[in-house]
Amino acid sequence: MSRSERSPLLLAGLLAAAGTAHFAAPRQFDHIVPRSLPGSPRTWTHASGAVELALAAGLALPRTRKAAALAAAAFFVGVFPANVKMAVDWRHRPARQRAAALCRLPLQVPLVLWARGVAKGAEGRS
């Protein structure tokens, strides 16, 4: 399997793992839901986990890969405010936790670019 064939499956695996974590350990995600969102943080945690699982399924299937990859790129942009909130909330935590929270911010860029690259690769196969 070539690198370009593995890439969508790796991204799907990442999203599936993240989506599963939202259900297996929701408390850690509840704390980063921006307060400005209506409803309970747990609802948003479960909704974002469900979206990640759906995106993973879409990426795994060649037929839906392009649309799922574009949706994943948009999703990564959409969850950025939660990562900002986490970085702000964790500014007084121990150095390792602060660093982890801050590192999440620039990591969104390669995730968006990865998803866009998967979409572009799926375009050539359609």
Side-chain angles (χ1 to χ4, degrees), residues 5 18 20 23 44 51 59 63 65 86-87 90-91 113 115 117 119:
E5 291 171 328
T20 301
F23 290 96
W44 288 100
V51 168
L59 285 163
R63 190 174 183 171
R65 186 166 291 155
M86 182 181 184
W90 288 24
R91 69 187 177 279
L113 294 175

XYZ file of all heavy atoms in Angstrom, residues 5 18 20 23 44 51 59 63 65 86-87 90-91 113 115 117 119:
143
model
N -2.109 6.003 -0.364
C -3.244 5.137 -0.040
C -3.409 4.975 1.472
O -4.522 4.780 1.955
C -3.058 3.758 -0.685
C -3.174 3.784 -2.197
C -2.767 2.460 -2.825
O -1.881 1.772 -2.274
O -3.346 2.119 -3.866
N -9.892 9.582 18.362
C -10.355 10.784 19.063
C -11.848 10.698 19.357
O -12.299 11.027 20.463
C -10.038 12.027 18.237
N -13.693 8.027 19.713
C -13.902 7.024 20.756
C -13.557 7.604 22.125
O -14.278 7.379 23.106
C -13.057 5.767 20.459
O -13.449 5.251 19.188
C -13.229 4.711 21.524
N -16.205 9.485 24.013
C -17.219 8.683 24.703
C -16.621 7.913 25.881
O -17.273 7.736 26.902
C -17.899 7.718 23.727
C -18.776 8.433 22.733
C -18.296 8.753 21.469
C -20.066 8.814 23.072
C -19.100 9.432 20.558
C -20.868 9.491 22.167
C -20.382 9.801 20.913
N -22.008 18.641 23.786
C -21.036 19.038 22.763
C -19.905 18.014 22.654
O -19.429 17.714 21.557
C -20.487 20.432 23.049
C -21.495 21.489 22.780
C -22.273 22.137 23.683
C -21.876 21.991 21.503
N -23.113 23.017 23.051
C -22.885 22.953 21.710
C -21.460 21.733 20.199
C -23.484 23.653 20.653
C -22.052 22.439 19.144
C -23.049 23.373 19.387
N -19.255 13.189 15.447
C -18.801 13.757 14.173
C -17.454 13.142 13.787
O -17.244 12.765 12.626
C -18.716 15.302 14.244
C -17.972 15.871 13.051
C -20.108 15.901 14.354
N -13.928 8.794 5.617
C -12.570 8.764 5.070
C -12.148 7.346 4.689
O -11.359 7.155 3.768
C -11.578 9.331 6.084
C -11.600 10.844 6.240
C -10.916 11.255 7.527
C -10.948 11.506 5.038
N -15.487 6.028 -1.797
C -16.627 6.711 -2.413
C -16.977 8.035 -1.711
O -17.442 8.976 -2.351
C -17.811 5.761 -2.377
C -18.981 6.178 -3.152
C -19.978 5.048 -3.121
N -21.123 5.372 -3.931
C -22.067 4.537 -4.231
N -22.003 3.298 -3.800
N -23.072 4.903 -4.961
N -14.732 9.615 0.470
C -13.476 10.153 1.000
C -13.307 11.654 0.767
O -12.952 12.388 1.681
C -12.310 9.387 0.408
C -10.984 9.781 1.019
C -9.925 8.790 0.654
N -10.222 7.534 1.348
C -9.824 6.334 0.926
N -9.124 6.227 -0.187
N -10.135 5.258 1.612
N -8.608 25.804 26.004
C -7.770 24.924 26.811
C -6.432 25.596 27.140
O -5.972 25.560 28.284
C -7.523 23.614 26.070
C -6.701 22.616 26.831
S -6.487 21.142 25.789
C -5.611 20.100 26.916
N -5.823 26.230 26.143
C -4.541 26.904 26.367
C -4.687 28.035 27.395
O -3.833 28.203 28.267
C -3.993 27.448 25.047
N -5.374 26.507 30.930
C -4.241 25.771 31.477
C -2.990 26.627 31.661
O -1.932 26.114 31.964
C -3.912 24.582 30.581
C -4.903 23.459 30.655
C -6.218 23.524 31.030
C -4.665 22.093 30.345
N -6.803 22.301 30.956
C -5.882 21.386 30.543
C -3.556 21.388 29.907
C -6.003 20.027 30.325
C -3.670 20.024 29.685
C -4.891 19.358 29.896
N -3.110 27.923 31.525
C -1.925 28.786 31.601
C -1.233 28.757 32.965
O -0.064 29.096 33.069
C -2.265 30.205 31.170
C -3.165 30.960 32.097
C -3.591 32.310 31.498
N -4.514 33.004 32.349
C -5.833 32.785 32.424
N -6.367 31.869 31.640
N -6.598 33.460 33.241
N -4.320 20.821 6.677
C -3.615 20.588 5.414
C -3.636 19.105 5.040
O -3.762 18.752 3.860
C -2.179 21.100 5.504
C -2.046 22.619 5.663
C -0.587 23.008 5.855
C -2.656 23.360 4.475
N -5.999 16.906 5.823
C -7.349 16.604 5.343
C -7.553 17.142 3.925
O -8.133 16.466 3.068
C -8.393 17.174 6.299
N -5.236 17.601 1.723
C -4.428 16.744 0.838
C -5.133 15.440 0.526
O -5.091 14.951 -0.603
N -8.367 15.055 0.466
C -9.445 15.426 -0.461
C -8.917 15.573 -1.880
O -9.524 15.085 -2.834
C -10.125 16.725 -0.015
